[in-house]
Amino acid sequence: SELTGEVEFENVDFGYNPDKIVLHDINMYAKPGQKIAFVGSTGAGKTTITNLINRFYDIQDGKIRYDNINIGKIRKPDLRRSLGIVLQDTHLFTGTVMDNIRYGKLDATDEECIKAAKLANAHDFIKRLPDGYNTVLTGDGSNLSQGQRQLLAIARAAVADPPALILDEATSSIDTRTEAMVSKGMDALMEGRTSFVIAHRLSTVKDADCIMVMEQGRIIERGTHDQLIDMKGRYYQLYTG
Ligand code: TTP
Ligand code: MG
């Protein structure tokens, strides 16, 4: 990819149905490598923003730019591969662990896949599988634990090596030890890439370059954790109960 991971929204309005606008006048700028976190109550529009970063929909008004290229209204089906990788959606298929990782970049060598798995913190559990990287996964990866599936998703994203990432943090109940492994893998993956994180863990939010607090389709507050705490507004309420 030629893209650096610079992403800008300028006065973006969007609705899944043009009669019902769900995002209002969204402005944001992510420098290459920055970590942007979205917080806010259910239905606020966090997932919708990430859908637009992935360019899954046309916007009604405004501009979305990657490196000064306005992509808000052009059709570009392969954009998802070149820019955002959504980690939530793992889609494991029947095939070996190696092939499932390679899906991130179809011409990747075994060495590249193993390197990605190491970065993702997935290598150790893979080595312990009955046939290591040649272990065949069932269709939905049901012979793996949820945490292991997440580690594979991180490895797959690492092999794709995108300039920007979208992470919808799982609220799912994985055990603390696995959770720590997944966190470590994600941190390594985010390093040096623009990351848009729908954050559920305070630890993720705290080190973000900018936290966007969303309410009813608008960004109502933004700043670092410390700035938002000082503001004593919505974010402060969210995190002090
Ligand atoms: P979301 O963007 O899904 O809100 P959210 O991600 O902040 O909520 P949650 O924390 O629960 O994940 O929804 C914003 C509005 O858009 C909401 O009214 C539902 C609507 N919507 C659709 O109509 N179609 C869609 O595909 C999605 C994702 C949302
Ligand atoms: Mg959501």
Side-chain angles (χ1 to χ4, degrees), residues 20-216:
K20 188 176 176 284
I21 296 298
V22 299
L23 288 182
H24 305 271
D25 198 27
I26 300 296
N27 289 283
M28 64 172 190
Y29 176 70
K31 267 196 236 176
Q34 278 190 331
K35 177 169 166 183
I36 310 291
F38 297 98
V39 301
S41 38
T42 183
K46 305 178 296 292
T47 297
T48 302
I49 288 202
T50 61
N51 284 342
L52 296 185
I53 294 167
N54 261 321
R55 200 43 196 84
F56 288 161
Y57 299 94
D58 288 331
I59 57 174
Q60 267 72 40
D61 207 0
K63 294 189 171 76
I64 299 174
R65 296 193 193 90
Y66 296 165
D67 291 311
N68 282 322
I69 307 160
N70 182 7
I71 57 97
K73 281 180 177 141
I74 53 168
R75 288 261 164 233
K76 211 177 168 199
D78 62 343
L79 214 54
R80 177 165 176 188
R81 282 204 167 273
S82 62
L83 189 89
I85 301 275
V86 185
L87 281 177
Q88 206 70 337
D89 109 271
T90 321
H91 294 309
L92 297 172
F93 53 83
T94 303
T96 64
V97 167
M98 188 72 90
D99 286 341
N100 269 278
I101 295 172
R102 198 179 340 261
Y103 188 72
K105 181 179 161 227
L106 296 175
D107 62 352
T109 62
D110 286 3
E111 287 68 32
E112 285 178 278
C113 293
I114 293 167
K115 192 172 161 223
K118 284 182 175 164
L119 179 121
N121 214 16
H123 180 72
D124 290 345
F125 101 76
I126 295 169
K127 293 296 279 184
R128 287 195 304 270
L129 293 173
D131 293 307
Y133 283 87
N134 296 320
T135 304
V136 175
L137 301 181
T138 54
D140 52 0
S142 57
N143 49 343
L144 295 180
S145 75
Q146 205 180 357
Q148 290 170 334
R149 290 200 293 273
Q150 287 184 20
L151 290 173
L152 276 195
I154 298 169
R156 180 186 280 177
V159 92
D161 193 21
L165 280 171
I166 296 161
L167 281 126
D168 206 334
E169 269 186 358
T171 41
S172 52
S173 47
I174 51 176
D175 63 87
T176 322
R177 201 175 140 267
T178 312
E179 158 104 32
M181 289 181 62
V182 170
S183 275
K184 197 176 152 207
M186 282 190 180
D187 285 348
L189 179 65
M190 285 191 281
E191 183 68 40
R193 304 175 208 282
T194 310
S195 307
F196 298 94
V197 189
I198 298 176
H200 300 289
R201 282 183 294 235
L202 185 55
S203 59
T204 309
V205 179
K206 260 188 148 165
D207 72 345
D209 295 292
C210 189
I211 302 160
M212 308 287 183
V213 185
M214 297 198 63
E215 212 54 80
Q216 294 180 13

